[in-house]
Amino acid sequence: MPDHPPTLAPPGGPADQPPPADLSAPRFLVSLQAAVPDAVVALSHFVGDWTAIVAPARLLDVVGWLATAPEAAFDWCSDITATDWPPRPERFDVIYCLYSTRHRHRIRVKARVRDDEAIASVTGVWPAANWLEREVFDMFGIRFSGHPDLRRILMPDDWQGHPQRKDYPLEGPGELLLENPIDWLTLRQSRDEADIE
Amino acid sequence: MVDAVVIPLLKIVIVLVATLTAVSYMVLLERKVIAWTQARLGPMRVGPHGILQPIADALKLMIKEDITPARADRWVFTLAPILAMVPALIVYAVIPFGPAVEVFGRPVTLYITDINVGLLYVVSVTSVGVYGIILAGYASNSKYPMLASLRASAQLISYEVAVTLTLVSVVLVAGTLSLVGIVEAQREAHVWYLFAQPVAFALIVIGGLAETNRAPFDMPEAEQELTGGFHTEYSGMRFALFFLAEYANMIVVSSVATTLFLGGYLRPFPNVAAFGVLDIVPSWMWFLLKSFAFLYFFIWIRATLPRYRYDQLMRLGWKVLIPIAIANLVVTAIVRVLLVARVGADG
Amino acid sequence: METPAVHHGAMFDTDELVINMGPQHPSTHGVLRVVLRLDGETVVDADVVIGYLHRGIEKLSENRSYTQVILLTDRMDYVAAATNNVGYCETVEKLMGIEVPRRARYMRTLVCELQRIASHCLWLGTHAMDAGAMTVFLYAFRERELILDLFEEYCGARLTYNSMRIGGLPQEIPPGWDRKVREFCTIMDGKLVEYEELLTHNRIWRERTKGIGVIDGAAAMAIGLSGPSLRGSGVPRDLRRDEPYAAYDEMDFDVPIGLAGDTYDRYLVRMEEFRQSLRIIRQAIDGMPEGPIVGRVPRLIKPPAGETYHAIESPKGELGFFIVSDGRSMSPYRVRVRPPSFCNLQALPQLIKGHLIADVVVLIGSIDIVLGEVDR
């Protein structure tokens, strides 16, 4: 066992580093903030990637603008995924990685959603989102309202639980399924620490 | 008594045994030739260079469990492989492997029988073979075989008409339906019909590939599309019957094409005395050599070409082969009438 | 059918036939299942069922150290394992700000392009096999074997290479290896002619592929196609050129695109990519700089808290890694793979609608999927 007690709390959320003061955001991000006011909660910049954190209710406005505005022209939906931060009330980050073939730039759009909350589907903007959102639903249990065909995709149809959640044990359900996800995260943390020693 | 019963029976036995052996070695030949085409060795384990492979295959297929799917139509399911195999074998009754020769001082013809409607018989009997495929697909009560059997029916209609029309033009030239008669007609005409009827020859080659379900027309058993095609549900010896029937049909098609277009058992230049030295090789050997060239061509095609789609085969059949066959028939008929008229005027 | 006769086969009565293609089927390239609704042999509707090979690689990654994840990435696109290694390692390097030495970047480029040829060989072979051209299959595998031999000599493995490390490469190239790569390039030049003789101008092949599965550029973008499948529709998007990684910014190569967006054009694009890859390999070998093969990497791989997405051009398309670090654990907080095969496969129902069963297998081959990557 490690010397220090396993009291290290699980991370409460992503770092989301704010952009350095001397770095100005790309022009389309500034325009976005002007065109869709109050939708962008924060901007983040880390190792060259820009991320716009948006309010989930305004997601469709934001991605709609990003997909159509000539200066943004994000015509290609690269990836949709999610991360799980159990201690946070808005537990999930849903992340949209977008790419513009015209300007060859990228942006990540991030929306924080609660467990009991559905987020709007972007399949109307990019049909490619169909399977990607299905996978997020399958793995995290995040519901997408307006999705044409929200079924499980990788796991069997009758599967219980959503494997990519942090409270879903690696070994599968049934063996180590703890009541409280925090307990399990703490356990994992202490195991990691033990490995390092 | 001997001439009427014993000799024909002996000939039937010899032809059957020879055919079945040839068929199994045909499989080995195909595997070997394709392997060489594809820069590999083919069967090498059973006997030197895999020479005993057909025997091992036959043994394996015989001792395999014979499965009938629970919801199959049992009778038809059993009947289908027989229906595929039997026509392929009985066609050999009229194939002339050689002319009459003397064996132990007794004249023996190197064919089982020579009926005056030989070619008609061949066409009819080989057409029955496809019912084996259709019924197999139907009786399996399974989706992929059913699709395959539908393909087989569509394919049958598309090429059979063209092939038969083409055969008619050959018959017009030869003036007889007897296969022996056609060979002898080529001797008298001093030319193989390959040169007299090149279009017909090309049509027969294409039609022959389709007839035997060989690549590039092997849609009914396209394993990449329909898993196993019509024989998906078959196992053991029943599967083997389908398999052997396909190769037996290949040999039939090669034999018929050899007879019709390559002078059958005749040596090259049968009327030129200068080439008399070629008579060292017996006539049946010439026949086998020519047929073998055909078979080799079939295998070669299989190793080279991708597969047609079945609607493309239909299009080829109806829009290309049949018009050409009809045109060929008409031209042949006109030329024939003109020739006869001239001969009549001369006579 | 008009007459209500008694049929033994119940299927004869239905107008539409539902057929399960896979998960055990010779041409689904693994455990893919496509539920086809057929009218005759024409596909009316298709539903793609995946997940038979789901091993939870993303979940596993959260419980392994950063270095151990490299070995998991091998198991995704197992016909282009080294490309996965490169994609993952570069993402971690981006996260940690590690500078990779120039020689290592050249070697990565070399390995990636060899891998692209190997992957395209497998694609070509299976694609042609699905259309019934079995000789091309064995020819393509014969050349793939040469690449596997090269890889075996380099890293000891033939399929799952584990051939990259964070910050560089695990070992130097063995002596004489570059000569063998050069020899391989010469052999491959000739073999490409051989493949093209068998297919490109073959009438049957053209009839089987021209006009099949047409998708225009805009539709292809919308459905998320990437890689050669997208370029076949005329969209000139290649991450090697657009967002250069490894040493691609120093390489001179062309990005082939198709015009019609059909199976034949996707085929031509990949055939040209063989040549471009050979061109890049020659440049990488000729211009291989001297120097270290590993950058300055901390002993403990523990990136600062943060997240990043980095994509590379795998043989199948855009292979992206999204990695989240919590800044204190030895293992990533989240690893997300953007699998090109998964996203390309999504276009399949759209492509096969209205075509025949025989085209379904051709189209599955045409979008070049690997189920290990689709299901992860």
Side-chain angles (χ1 to χ4, degrees):
Chain A
M1 281 299 287
D3 305 333
H4 44 268
T7 49
L8 197 58
D16 287 338
Q17 288 87 346
D22 54 342
L23 188 72
S24 56
R27 200 141 44 85
F28 71 86
L29 274 180
V30 180
S31 312
L32 170 69
Q33 281 166 311
V36 194
D38 306 328
V40 178
V41 178
L43 284 182
S44 162
H45 179 267
F46 182 64
V47 294
D49 297 0
W50 282 94
T51 307
I53 298 155
V54 302
R58 306 295 304 277
L59 177 76
L60 276 187
D61 299 337
V62 172
V63 297
W65 188 88
L66 285 173
T68 50
E71 56 186 307
F74 285 100
D75 48 4
W76 200 77
C77 176
S78 176
D79 195 12
I80 296 176
T81 186
T83 45
D84 182 15
W85 306 93
R88 209 174 62 180
E90 305 96 351
R91 182 170 166 180
F92 301 110
D93 276 346
V94 182
I95 297 146
Y96 302 81
C97 301
L98 309 178
Y99 179 81
S100 162
T101 44
R102 193 186 307 167
H103 304 296
R104 293 180 188 171
H105 56 203
R106 286 185 186 273
I107 179 80
R108 273 203 306 278
V109 176
K110 201 191 251 191
R112 298 173 178 160
V113 290
R114 291 197 312 277
D115 201 355
D116 54 353
E117 185 181 28
I119 188 166
S121 163
V122 298
T123 42
V125 185
W126 301 286
N130 188 333
W131 280 24
L132 294 165
E133 287 183 347
R134 274 177 73 185
E135 188 182 339
V136 171
F137 164 72
D138 191 1
M139 290 296 149
F140 290 91
I142 301 171
R143 278 166 299 115
F144 290 87
S145 56
H147 190 285
D149 182 27
L150 199 60
R151 288 177 291 150
R152 284 188 181 272
I153 187 162
L154 291 177
M155 304 304 285
D157 287 340
D158 54 354
W159 195 260
Q160 297 292 317
H162 299 282
Q164 285 282 8
R165 291 188 174 201
K166 285 287 174 186
D167 50 1
Y168 189 99
L170 179 67
E171 294 82 359
E175 291 170 51
L176 197 66
L177 193 58
L178 301 180
E179 295 283 311
N180 185 358
I182 309 292
D183 289 352
W184 187 74
L185 276 180
T186 328
L187 185 70
R188 194 199 91 160
Q189 198 71 40
S190 61
R191 207 171 50 194
D192 284 351
E193 302 289 341
D195 281 349
I196 299 167
E197 308 301 317
Chain B
M1 177 65 193
V2 170
D3 282 340
V5 179
V6 176
I7 290 184
L9 272 181
L10 264 179
K11 283 199 283 195
I12 290 173
V13 169
I14 290 173
V15 167
L16 270 184
V17 169
T19 308
L20 288 173
T21 317
V23 164
S24 27
Y25 273 88
M26 186 63 213
V27 180
L28 179 66
L29 176 77
E30 166 154 52
R31 291 177 66 179
K32 277 291 188 188
V33 170
I34 289 191
W36 292 328
T37 319
Q38 297 170 342
R40 51 195 179 91
L41 291 172
M44 289 296 282
R45 298 291 167 137
V46 191
H49 289 268
I51 201 89
L52 299 177
Q53 185 71 38
I55 296 164
D57 285 348
L59 264 180
K60 188 198 81 172
L61 285 166
M62 272 186 244
I63 58 177
K64 278 262 168 179
E65 187 187 353
D66 192 17
I67 302 165
T68 308
R71 297 185 57 197
D73 189 334
R74 284 178 170 277
W75 280 107
V76 185
F77 191 78
T78 314
L79 183 67
I82 300 170
L83 208 52
M85 189 66 192
V86 169
L89 289 180
I90 58 177
V91 174
Y92 291 99
V94 296
I95 306 274
F97 298 96
V101 293
E102 233 172 64
V103 180
F104 303 122
R106 193 183 279 278
V108 175
T109 52
L110 288 185
Y111 40 87
I112 294 173
T113 178
D114 174 28
I115 51 180
N116 56 2
V117 288
L119 196 55
L120 194 61
Y121 171 84
V122 170
V123 172
S124 330
V125 169
T126 49
S127 303
V128 174
V130 81
Y131 285 100
I133 295 177
I134 295 173
L135 290 179
Y138 161 78
S140 299
N141 201 0
S142 170
K143 289 174 183 176
Y144 283 109
M146 194 200 66
L147 283 173
S149 72
L150 291 177
R151 281 182 177 195
S153 336
Q155 190 168 327
L156 169 79
I157 302 165
S158 321
Y159 65 78
E160 196 90 324
V161 181
V163 166
T164 313
L165 283 172
T166 315
L167 291 179
V168 173
S169 49
V170 176
V171 171
L172 272 184
V173 177
T176 172
L177 277 166
S178 149
L179 290 176
V180 179
I182 290 175
V183 174
E184 292 303 325
Q186 293 181 64
R187 188 203 297 272
E188 282 163 28
H190 294 247
V191 65
W192 287 358
Y193 285 165
L194 162 64
F195 304 108
Q197 284 279 350
V199 179
F201 179 70
L203 289 177
I204 291 291
V205 169
I206 298 172
L209 287 170
E211 165 100 31
T212 47
N213 295 327
R214 294 286 301 176
F217 305 119
D218 54 345
M219 291 112 222
E221 49 186 307
E223 68 257 33
Q224 285 89 5
E225 298 156 21
L226 301 178
T227 54
F230 62 89
H231 55 60
T232 305
E233 304 289 346
Y234 280 87
S235 60
M237 214 46 215
R238 286 192 237 189
F239 164 74
L241 282 182
F242 277 122
F243 198 64
L244 295 179
E246 179 186 326
Y247 286 83
N249 271 325
M250 271 170 75
I251 300 181
V252 165
V253 169
S254 321
S255 311
V256 172
T258 306
T259 309
L260 295 186
F261 293 99
L262 299 182
Y265 49 76
L266 302 176
R267 66 168 165 84
F269 309 103
N271 313 91
V272 184
F275 289 99
V277 66
L278 290 173
D279 279 331
I280 290 176
V281 180
S283 56
W284 54 271
M285 202 62 197
W286 283 114
F287 179 84
L288 292 186
L289 277 175
K290 291 171 187 173
S291 305
F292 177 81
F294 244 101
L295 290 171
Y296 186 86
F297 177 74
F298 275 20
I299 297 172
W300 182 16
I301 287 281
R302 175 167 174 204
T304 312
L305 292 182
R307 178 184 304 117
Y308 258 104
R309 217 170 55 202
Y310 99 117
D311 60 318
Q312 290 168 342
L313 168 70
M314 305 270 281
R315 201 178 310 138
L316 184 75
W318 290 102
K319 292 191 179 164
V320 182
L321 295 188
I322 292 182
I324 293 180
I326 292 176
N328 187 48
L329 179 59
V330 170
V331 170
T332 310
I334 291 173
V335 171
R336 167 93 185 156
V337 166
L338 290 178
L339 281 179
V340 169
R342 216 188 64 200
V343 170
D346 291 350
Chain C
M1 283 183 193
E2 286 177 6
T3 46
V6 179
H7 297 296
H8 184 82
M11 299 85 66
F12 282 87
D13 294 328
T14 54
D15 288 332
E16 283 180 351
L17 182 70
V18 175
I19 201 167
N20 250 313
M21 195 176 242
Q24 284 99 17
H25 186 279
S27 317
T28 51
H29 296 207
V31 279
L32 171 67
R33 177 171 154 221
V34 188
V35 183
L36 298 168
R37 224 148 42 88
L38 300 177
D39 176 17
E41 279 210 21
T42 313
V43 179
V44 180
D45 201 6
D47 185 24
V48 179
V49 183
I50 59 172
Y52 292 95
L53 203 57
H54 179 60
R55 292 149 294 173
I57 284 180
E58 290 179 10
K59 182 82 176 174
L60 277 170
S61 307
E62 293 170 15
N63 295 271
R64 297 285 181 275
S65 75
Y66 280 93
T67 319
Q68 286 170 329
V69 174
I70 300 173
L71 163 143
L72 292 177
T73 63
D74 278 335
R75 271 83 183 159
M76 290 188 308
D77 182 358
Y78 43 75
V79 301
T83 315
N84 295 324
N85 299 158
V86 171
Y88 172 77
C89 290
E90 292 206 332
T91 315
V92 178
E93 286 152 11
K94 184 176 168 190
L95 204 55
M96 298 177 73
I98 295 173
E99 185 85 18
V100 180
R102 191 151 168 267
R103 183 176 174 82
R105 289 193 287 120
Y106 262 73
M107 279 165 66
R108 280 183 179 177
T109 311
L110 176 60
V111 165
C112 276
E113 290 310 309
L114 277 176
Q115 191 70 88
R116 189 180 313 276
I117 293 180
S119 169
H120 278 14
C121 275
L122 190 125
W123 155 80
L124 177 69
T126 51
H127 188 31
M129 183 85 168
D130 289 345
M134 56 199 272
T135 300
V136 181
F137 172 77
L138 283 133
Y139 283 2
F141 267 62
R142 178 183 63 192
E143 272 69 71
R144 178 168 176 264
E145 197 68 16
L146 297 175
I147 302 179
L148 297 193
D149 288 343
L150 287 172
F151 271 109
E152 185 178 11
E153 196 176 337
Y154 172 61
C155 63
R158 291 171 63 83
L159 196 67
T160 50
Y161 305 120
N162 194 10
S163 62
M164 296 292 152
R165 293 293 179 271
I166 293 159
L169 285 89
Q171 65 257 333
E172 259 296 344
I173 50 176
W177 197 70
D178 52 343
R179 189 180 42 78
K180 286 181 186 159
V181 173
R182 257 186 254 268
E183 274 168 18
F184 164 76
C185 289
T186 317
I187 295 172
M188 197 67 200
D189 277 336
K191 299 300 179 191
L192 282 173
V193 177
E194 206 169 82
Y195 304 156
E196 297 227 77
E197 271 172 5
L198 278 166
L199 293 178
T200 306
H201 302 295
N202 183 319
R203 206 190 125 126
I204 299 180
W205 177 254
R206 288 164 83 115
E207 280 190 27
R208 283 303 301 277
T209 52
K210 278 203 166 182
I212 302 299
V214 179
I215 187 164
D216 63 38
M221 298 271 296
I223 199 68
L225 281 180
S226 58
S229 307
L230 180 64
R231 291 192 282 277
S233 298
V235 182
R237 174 166 187 264
D238 190 326
L239 293 180
R240 290 177 291 174
R241 186 196 60 185
D242 298 348
E243 299 180 332
Y245 56 96
Y248 284 108
D249 47 348
E250 299 173 39
M251 300 293 159
D252 182 26
F253 62 99
D254 296 324
V255 178
I257 58 166
L259 294 173
D262 58 3
T263 303
Y264 187 66
D265 278 20
R266 287 190 282 272
Y267 158 81
L268 287 182
V269 164
R270 290 197 177 93
M271 292 311 282
E272 183 56 31
E273 281 190 7
F274 272 117
R275 301 212 159 79
Q276 297 301 330
S277 291
L278 288 174
R279 209 170 136 194
I280 299 173
I281 290 173
R282 290 200 169 99
Q283 291 174 47
I285 289 266
D286 292 340
M288 182 78 71
E290 292 300 317
I293 55 165
V294 187
R296 291 176 55 82
V297 184
R299 268 194 60 217
L300 279 184
I301 307 277
K302 196 166 164 184
E307 57 193 43
T308 190
Y309 178 84
H310 175 69
I312 66 167
E313 184 77 21
S314 99
K316 316 281 186 296
E318 173 174 327
L319 171 69
F321 284 88
F322 175 72
I323 299 180
V324 183
S325 161
D326 58 7
R328 15 180 228 188
S329 168
M330 297 298 290
S331 38
Y333 189 77
R334 168 101 173 96
V335 174
R336 155 72 184 172
V337 187
R338 190 262 179 209
S341 295
F342 178 86
C343 296
N344 289 354
L345 185 59
Q346 192 175 187
L348 185 67
Q350 194 177 332
L351 291 176
I352 61 182
K353 226 163 266 182
H355 286 300
L356 301 173
I357 292 194
D359 300 324
V360 174
V361 297
V362 171
L363 281 168
I364 293 175
S366 170
I367 55 174
D368 191 15
I369 50 163
V370 167
L371 267 295
E373 185 180 67
V374 172
D375 295 340
R376 281 153 290 141

